[in-house]
Amino acid sequence: NAGVTQTPKFQVLKTGQSMTLQCAQDMNHNSMYWYRQDPGMGLRLIYYSASEGTTDKGEVPNGYNVSRLNKREFSLRLESAAPSQTSVYFCASMSSGGTDIQYFGAGTRLSVL
Amino acid sequence: RKEVEQDPGPFNVPEGATVAFNCTYSNSASQSFFWYRQDCRKEPKLLMSVYSSGNEDGRFTAQLNRASQYISLLIRDSKLSDSATYLCVVISNAGKSTFGDGTTLTVKP
């Protein structure tokens, strides 16, 4: 049972390049989340998807787009990367049925030069 | 004002000490509350759920005060292995998740 899988683990981009971060969960969870974490700060919510077919903005959505491809997969796209998007990105899925516990992927460490 | 605010820390305590962290939240529609632990910017891992009735797990006790909109975490008899960053998180009734900035604890011999 893999839980939440994120790819890639590391990525270096040049300013203006685009990329998609992939996230998949095998726990049949309804809700999925994308966060970024900058040094010395907590996790800030970029986008979330409370159920398949829905997405909502979080605290810091500018410069990002998401796709809830199906119940398992939730991708995050940077259309034109900027140095300010250098961060660690975490994907999470949340259990259903009232417990609201989130399970996290191992993170993607992204540097934009 | 941030939706979720934590004690800024850092906390540096000797082994065996008792340490308490607090976290306040502003959204009264919040429905679920948790403490997570994060080591060296690895992925956060669930430490405890937080309930109004209190929740105890060994040396750890978590408490929710809905009237005052804060949650707390108490660690008794601190161990070196407790050194980490502790994050509170609040989930709204719409499923939106908000983390605090984290409080760093260092337990020293």
Side-chain angles (χ1 to χ4, degrees), chain B residues 23-25 27 30-35 49-55 61-73 89-90:
Chain B
C23 181
T24 59
Y25 62 95
N27 184 357
S30 301
Q31 68 173 21
S32 303
F33 309 86
F34 304 90
W35 285 100
S49 303
V50 190
Y51 309 113
S52 298
S53 56
N55 188 17
T61 301
Q63 190 77 47
L64 164 66
N65 185 318
R66 282 193 182 271
S68 300
Q69 295 186 197
Y70 79 84
I71 65 174
S72 62
L73 176 68
V89 59
V90 175

Side-chain angles (χ1 to χ4, degrees), chain A residues 33 35 37-39 41-43 45 48 88 90 99-102 104-106 109, chain B residues 31-32 34 36 38 41-44 46 87 89 91 94-97 99-101:
Chain A
Y33 301 80
Y35 299 91
Q37 186 175 33
D38 300 323
M41 298 187 69
L43 279 70
L45 183 64
Y48 67 107
V88 179
F90 289 104
T99 61
D100 288 350
I101 295 172
Q102 292 181 72
F104 285 82
R109 280 144 181 83
Chain B
Q31 68 173 21
S32 303
F34 304 90
Y36 279 74
Q38 186 177 32
R41 283 169 55 86
K42 294 183 178 178
E43 73 271 25
L46 178 69
L87 301 159
V89 59
I91 310 292
K96 183 181 178 184
S97 166
F99 276 79
D101 282 343

Side-chain angles (χ1 to χ4, degrees), chain A residues 27-81:
Chain A
M27 295 174 282
N28 200 36
H29 288 168
N30 286 330
S31 302
M32 296 186 74
Y33 301 80
W34 275 107
Y35 299 91
R36 61 178 287 174
Q37 186 175 33
D38 300 323
M41 298 187 69
L43 279 70
R44 291 186 291 170
L45 183 64
I46 305 172
Y47 273 93
Y48 67 107
S49 171
S51 61
E52 186 178 356
T54 69
T55 60
D56 287 284
K57 293 179 180 180
E59 181 185 356
V60 288
N62 291 345
Y64 305 96
N65 287 301
V66 290
S67 295
R68 184 74 184 266
L69 303 169
N70 46 55
K71 192 170 186 179
R72 289 187 64 249
E73 298 172 288
F74 188 38
S75 62
L76 178 71
R77 182 159 178 85
L78 286 70
E79 291 291 351
S80 179

